[in-house]
Amino acid sequence: MKNKKRVFSGVQPTGQMHIGNYVGALSLWVENQKKYDNIFCIVDLHALTIPESIEPQYLRKKVKQVAALYLACGIEPEQSTIFVQSHVPQHSELTWLLNCVTPIGWLERMTQFKSKSKKLESVGTGLFDYPVLMASDILLYKTDLVPVGEDQKQHIEITRDIAQRFNHLYGEVLKVPEELIRKSGARIMSFDDPEAKMSKSTGENKKRHAIGLLDSPETIRETIMSATTDSNRETRFDYASPGILNMLTLYQVLTGQSRAEIESHFSDGKYGKLKKELVEVVIETLKPIQKKYNRIINEETYLDDVLKEGEEKATEIAVDTMDNVKKSMGLK
Ligand code: ATP
């Protein structure tokens, strides 16, 4: 792993993992897992920033579900480090130390805090401090690269700012990470409102918004067959309505066919045929994932062993970083 760049990615164990997460993230992670030294963290401490919506039993279950889905989608524990954030206490410890060097103004500017806090009656300090916890996640592992989508850019920028400020105050201790701009995966939109992005949180509460990675063939069929299409039902990429374009896009990424092939296949313009075939493609894509998932989730000790091993690998790096951080601050 020595010469490979280290990449840190995290997923919050809340909501329902969906086909958009697979297309836009998991499948690409699997594709790139040999290229990088990957750390995949299930960020359960971040889930606690909105405690009202998270019950202990729910969180426990979701952590296992996300871990099992990582493995079922093809992440290999022999190649990558997979672990749960709260199992490595150095995340919280580094957060406190970084809090002490982070100006409040930097956190007040975060747009995600502004939009999330607007919806809440009472806003916890954890939600405000979320970016510092995220910076700790990244900096703890001497991360070279962080994959970022448009909505995450501010988070990597603040992580870099915090690392640079720390290094300015205490010496060159923290590695300043770069953004990993990947050949962007397709962005999958909601099936009931194709103007909105498919998302884990909405998918959990709203039927027909998303296709969950664990949805049954019947549910997948219902969701796709009742998807919003609008009155313009052209089955050509450049002329399709947002709903049809979303289906064409999903069909394209899952089959690997070119636009021309797809347009010629659906040249009679019958969007009903597109829906029916997409149903089959999605069911076939998810079948092996669900089969593997069911095997893993029912083998309790296997998952625990994988997470334990990941915790040990992560802890080794985290302890070393904390040692350097504490020495530089005079805590050791
Ligand atoms: P939430 O509703 O909790 O914000 P989300 O579904 O938007 O969740 P994230 O946890 O923000 O998902 O993202 C996990 C990964 O999945 C990220 O790499 C993100 O780019 C990717 N991703 C999320 N939604 C989509 C989508 N609709 N299409 C493609 N990729 C997506």
Side-chain angles (χ1 to χ4, degrees), residues 145-288:
L145 299 165
V146 186
V148 279
E150 270 310 312
D151 51 343
Q152 296 271 304
K153 273 199 159 161
Q154 239 195 342
H155 282 105
I156 173 79
E157 276 157 20
I158 195 173
T159 299
R160 288 170 53 83
D161 288 344
I162 292 172
Q164 275 159 350
R165 186 167 160 83
F166 187 96
N167 289 349
H168 175 73
L169 292 170
Y170 295 109
E172 290 298 310
V173 176
L174 297 172
K175 175 167 244 166
V176 182
E178 305 284 335
E179 288 177 12
L180 174 61
I181 316 278
R182 286 194 169 139
K183 174 171 61 87
S184 69
R187 191 173 150 90
I188 305 303
M189 310 307 279
S190 150
F191 279 102
D192 63 346
D193 172 12
E195 306 284 346
K197 185 184 86 74
M198 191 178 279
S199 91
K200 294 210 302 297
S201 38
T202 315
E204 190 163 59
N205 306 316
K206 207 168 158 212
K207 249 183 127 189
R208 303 202 171 136
H209 165 85
I211 290 173
L213 294 182
L214 299 173
D215 276 355
S216 68
E218 296 71 44
T219 307
I220 294 170
R221 189 163 288 117
E222 274 173 35
T223 306
I224 295 179
M225 294 313 286
S226 63
T228 304
T229 44
D230 304 325
S231 50
N232 164 17
R233 286 157 181 183
E234 280 259 20
T235 47
R236 287 182 295 164
F237 284 86
D238 290 336
Y239 302 95
S241 65
I244 303 236
L245 178 62
N246 192 34
M247 286 188 260
L248 286 169
T249 307
L250 188 55
Y251 188 91
Q252 186 188 15
V253 278
L254 296 182
T255 61
Q257 290 176 21
S258 69
R259 278 175 160 225
E261 279 173 305
I262 295 169
E263 288 185 352
S264 128
H265 184 65
F266 295 111
S267 61
D268 58 5
K270 296 225 170 78
Y271 76 97
K273 178 175 160 187
L274 168 64
K275 280 188 166 181
K276 277 195 198 131
E277 291 198 19
L278 182 61
V279 168
E280 296 315 314
V281 168
V282 172
I283 291 175
E284 284 310 307
T285 305
L286 296 185
K287 203 187 268 175

